[in-house]
Amino acid sequence: GVVYVGTAGGKLEAFSAAGTTGCSGTKARKCSPLWTAGTGGPISSSPTVAGGLVYVGSSQGHFFAFSATGTTNCSGIPKTCKAVWSAPARGVDSSPAVVNGIVYVGSYNGGVYAFSAAGTTDCAGIPKVCSPLWIGPTGAISYSSPAVANGVVYIAATNGLLYAFSAAGTTNCKGTTTKSCQPLWTGATANQIDGSPAAANGTVYVSSSDGNLYAFSAAGATGCSGTPKTCLPIWTAPGLGGPTSPVVANGVVYTGEAGRVYGLSAAGTIDCTGTTRKRCRPLWTSADDGNATYAS
């Protein structure tokens, strides 16, 4: 019943999704926020809502969890809210992912952070500040939003690499408070990755600025070798990649590039050639609208 949006002015704003509370007018209603919250810097990523909290990052270096209902740590008319908990993260343009009580987010300083979503573990003080449960270094900026599936968190970076980490912070991790985790495996593309990966049915997909769409073994099994483990793609789609984030549904992976939308066989079986490293063509292509495609 609430829609959340961040602004370049550093505010998180919550509006009545139905356009009823705080709204006036008849045909073109004008709505005021139910509540707002300051983050101290521009918000470039999309908020994520889970378990009664709304999570959002700031380009100025912090990550925040606010009361989604605008009740805890909120006061005044108009209502403003302070964070239920926050964490230093050195700049966040990544949208968070929340799975099994952990919230994951990418950072400017070259890593993926994992925090206690409820703000209970490794958190202290008033106002409450949380330390990461674990950090997975990527060595480059991660604008990418994490994708989590089957106990693995996937995140891409501007160095052109896709990383897979233990979501629980157990495998390839060391330390006690704020563990340092090394990747389970990495997969390389030929240019930076700005979009987010999508994981489904044993495959993880990512689109690279080199102009290709890549499909890797999600478990790091097929086409993978070495210590540390590196993986080659199961298949690629040349010329169909860019800054977009792929989406998978009903056996089709969708991506966009240079004004077109493409649908490809997610399994890499239809309209694909080769054996060890297949090359796939789209099942269908949309008409060219003449504009670059950035959105997912």
Side-chain angles (χ1 to χ4, degrees):
V2 181
V3 57
Y4 306 88
V5 66
T7 75
K11 278 190 175 182
L12 177 67
E13 299 182 334
F15 294 91
S16 165
T20 51
T21 307
C23 302
S24 60
T26 53
K27 291 185 177 179
R29 292 182 183 177
K30 188 172 183 179
C31 296
S32 297
L34 303 174
W35 57 265
T36 63
T39 64
I43 300 172
S44 300
S45 60
S46 303
T48 298
V49 186
L53 295 174
V54 53
Y55 304 92
V56 71
S58 163
S59 297
Q60 290 298 97
H62 278 76
F63 182 63
F64 300 88
F66 295 97
S67 165
T69 56
T71 50
T72 306
N73 293 355
C74 301
S75 62
I77 300 173
K79 186 185 286 186
T80 60
C81 295
K82 295 181 179 179
V84 175
W85 63 263
S86 66
R90 296 192 184 179
V92 175
D93 275 350
S94 167
S95 296
V98 185
V99 178
N100 296 328
I102 299 177
V103 54
Y104 307 90
V105 69
S107 171
Y108 279 8
N109 76 327
V112 57
Y113 288 75
F115 296 97
S116 164
T120 50
T121 306
D122 293 343
C123 301
I126 300 173
K128 187 183 287 186
V129 176
C130 294
S131 298
L133 303 175
W134 59 264
I135 298 174
T138 61
I141 295 173
S142 289
Y143 298 120
S144 167
S145 301
V148 186
N150 297 320
V152 180
V153 54
Y154 305 94
I155 193 164
T158 54
N159 58 4
L161 294 176
L162 174 67
Y163 295 82
F165 293 94
S166 164
T170 50
T171 307
N172 288 3
C173 301
K174 61 182 180 180
T176 51
T177 302
T178 305
K179 295 178 181 177
S180 177
C181 295
Q182 296 303 310
L184 303 175
W185 60 265
T186 60
T189 73
N191 207 326
Q192 74 179 47
I193 304 171
D194 294 323
S196 305
N201 300 319
T203 304
V204 57
Y205 309 87
V206 70
S207 184
S208 171
S209 294
D210 65 11
N212 298 324
L213 177 71
Y214 293 80
F216 294 91
S217 165
T222 306
C224 304
S225 62
T227 305
K229 186 185 287 186
T230 59
C231 296
L232 295 173
I234 300 170
W235 59 262
T236 62
L240 305 186
T244 61
S245 303
V247 174
V248 188
N250 299 322
V252 179
V253 55
Y254 304 93
T255 189
E257 198 275 329
R260 295 181 186 270
V261 177
Y262 303 94
L264 297 104
S265 165
T269 51
I270 303 171
D271 288 341
C272 299
T273 58
T275 53
T276 56
R277 193 173 179 181
K278 295 179 180 177
R279 293 164 64 93
C280 295
R281 294 178 291 122
L283 304 173
W284 59 265
T285 303
S286 73
D288 187 352
D289 70 359
N291 295 291
T293 305
Y294 294 107
S296 304

